């Protein structure tokens, strides 16, 4: 018995098997041309037994037709907006640039964007709990923004409305900040995948949020650093990497595991821990030069694998062990970032180099790139950490 998947006319949600039919092991295309272009049915054998090949053929011929239909919808929306302009003219006109120049996000609804991101998350290397949380947040945001609404219509006002609704529901500042952080990461990913104008959409989420009051992370006392590094004997290399690079825990685990584009690479003749944009807090690809103190770990596949193996579980055990070290009662793995920054600052390392080494955004959000000289300078800065 054959299998057949079809979506109704005008629906642009191209899921994996839309418009495809399998019969006797052969894949067929069954697609109705949009009514405005004639409304005829296309029923043709794709002469392939490979579903992936069938999808590629379908995408090559069906997507341009759906794109033309969407373009007509955009023009109709623009005309409707112009006709409805009255006392609220500025607000109406504010959405027109997005409709005209929105690029890929004209064709993508919030529902589709959430579905694509949720499909990618399990492949990102993130923990299952993180995948579940991100998926839940993205689904909730898509519902609030209107699942079938095109992403091109997103405005700061819409994001501010979500913020206000969360405040009214007595959500904590930390929760609100977390939702908006996930939203910005989602927009950045869509941009990198070429699915939307990620930069413009991300800018819409940059609005004033309730102030999050956090207790500053305490520094690991320099005199206790050696004991703090080795307080969990079976997992000493990860704290050592954190001590001499200031890398975040998830960054260390991904670089040591060597998946999702992360790993140990040689760049401009300098050995570095490489992190993809998806794995960094600033959503920018990052290189962390390997200082001399870590060369033995970075050049050993066995030791790198040992850091990544059961890393999330061992990190919890490490934090408990660390609190038993005198002077580190309120410290955690993250305290090594404060330690690294403080030690470089006391050694006279300039602020921009410290920012680049630790993965903070550069001053005025400027990215200077990674020249050989700059990598050497960052490595020299890290080597000043005692």
């Amino acid at each position: 018995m054959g299998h057949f998947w079809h979506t109704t006319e005008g629906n642009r949600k191209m899921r994996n098997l839309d418009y495809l039919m399998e019969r006797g092991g052969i894949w067929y295309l069954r697609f109705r041309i949009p009514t405005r272009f004639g409304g005829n049915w296309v029923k043709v054998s794709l002469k392939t037994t490979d579903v992936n090949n069938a999808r590629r053929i379908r995408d090559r011929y069906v997507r341009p037709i759906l794109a033309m239909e969407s373009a007509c919808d955009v023009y109709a929306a623009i005309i409707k907006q112009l006709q409805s302009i009255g006392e609220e003219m500025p607000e109406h006109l504010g959405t027109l640039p997005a409709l005209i120049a929105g690029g890929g996000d004209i064709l993508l609804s919030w529902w589709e964007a959430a579905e694509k991101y949720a499909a990618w998350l399990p492949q990102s290397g993130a923990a299952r709990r993180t995948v579940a949380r991100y998926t839940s947040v993205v689904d909730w945001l898509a519902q609030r923004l209107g699942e079938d609404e095109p992403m091109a219509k997103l405005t700061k006002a819409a994001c501010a409305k979500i913020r206000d609704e969360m405040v009214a529901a007595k959500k904590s500042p930390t929760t609100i900040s977390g939702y908006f952080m996930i939203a910005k990461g989602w927009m950045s990913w869509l941009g990198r995948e070429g699915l939307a104008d990620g930069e413009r959409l991300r800018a819409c989420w940059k609005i004033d949020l309730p102030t999050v009051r956090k207790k500053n992370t305490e520094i690991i006392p320099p005199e206790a650093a050696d004991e703090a590094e080795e307080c969990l004997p079976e997992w000493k290399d990860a704290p050592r990497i954190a001590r001499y690079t200031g890398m975040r825990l998830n960054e260390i685990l991904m670089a040591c595991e060597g998946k999702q584009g992360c790993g140990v690479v040689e760049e401009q003749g300098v050995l570095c821990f490489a992190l993809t944009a998806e794995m960094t807090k600033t959503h920018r690809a990052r290189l962390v030069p390997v200082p001399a103190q870590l060369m033995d770990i970075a050049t050993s596949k066995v030791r790198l694998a040992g850091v990544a193996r059961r890393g999330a579980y061992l990190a919890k055990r490490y934090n408990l062990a660390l609190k038993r070290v005198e002077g580190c009662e309120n410290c955690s793995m993250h305290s090594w970032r404060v330690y690294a920054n403080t030690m470089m600052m006391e050694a006279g390392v300039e602020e921009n180099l410290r920012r680049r080494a630790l993965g903070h955004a550069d001053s005025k959000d400027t990215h200077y790139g990674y020249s050989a000289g700059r990598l050497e300078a960052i490595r020299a800065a890290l080597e000043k950490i005692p």
Side-chain angles (χ1 to χ4, degrees), residues 154-285:
L154 182 67
T155 62
K156 281 184 177 288
C159 297
K161 183 178 179 182
I162 290 177
R163 174 202 61 196
D164 295 341
E165 288 178 356
M166 296 183 75
V167 170
K170 297 184 178 179
K171 298 294 183 182
S172 71
T174 301
T175 299
I176 297 172
S177 177
Y179 272 53
F180 274 66
M181 182 194 72
I182 291 172
K184 286 184 281 189
W186 178 23
M187 300 302 103
S188 295
W189 178 83
L190 290 167
R192 287 190 295 274
E193 293 294 308
L195 298 171
D197 184 352
E199 187 174 343
R200 184 189 69 80
L201 294 174
R202 182 178 165 85
C204 292
W205 294 95
K206 292 183 178 180
I207 60 175
D208 293 332
L209 299 177
T211 301
V212 177
R213 295 184 178 179
K214 287 186 177 181
K215 183 180 179 181
N216 290 333
T217 303
E218 292 198 15
I219 184 174
I220 291 176
E223 63 274 12
D226 291 340
E227 184 181 354
E229 179 187 312
E230 300 181 357
C231 63
L232 188 66
E234 63 266 41
W235 203 59
K236 297 186 293 185
D237 285 346
R240 185 171 180 80
I241 294 173
R243 175 179 181 175
Y244 291 111
T245 65
M247 291 168 66
R248 300 173 179 89
L249 173 62
N250 70 304
E251 295 172 345
I252 293 172
L253 297 182
M254 291 307 300
C256 291
E257 190 174 13
K259 293 184 178 180
Q260 298 300 320
C262 301
V264 178
V265 302
E266 187 171 314
E267 182 72 23
Q268 305 281 353
V270 179
L271 196 66
C272 301
F273 293 110
L275 300 165
T276 58
E278 291 83 4
M279 297 302 137
T280 64
K281 192 173 182 179
T282 56
H283 304 289
R284 285 175 173 166

Side-chain angles (χ1 to χ4, degrees), residues 304-351:
L304 290 172
V307 171
R309 192 181 303 116
R310 297 168 62 217
Y313 164 72
L314 290 172
K316 293 179 181 178
R317 288 188 57 196
Y318 172 79
N319 284 336
L320 292 174
L322 180 61
K323 294 181 187 305
R324 293 193 288 270
V325 176
E326 187 177 354
C328 298
E329 292 81 5
N330 296 314
C331 293
S332 66
M333 185 74 169
H334 198 71
S335 297
W336 285 117
R337 281 179 65 77
V338 183
Y339 174 88
N341 186 46
T342 303
M343 294 300 102
M344 285 191 288
M345 184 170 59
E346 291 182 355
V349 176
E350 62 178 273
E351 182 184 3

Side-chain angles (χ1 to χ4, degrees), residues 88-102:
E88 299 178 351
M89 179 164 50
E91 182 177 347
H92 281 284
L93 287 176
T95 63
L96 292 183
L99 286 169
I100 295 169

Side-chain angles (χ1 to χ4, degrees), residues 115-129:
E115 186 181 59
K116 290 178 183 295
Y117 192 51
W120 171 80
L121 280 170
Q123 306 168 24
S124 68
R128 281 182 294 179
R129 183 179 298 179

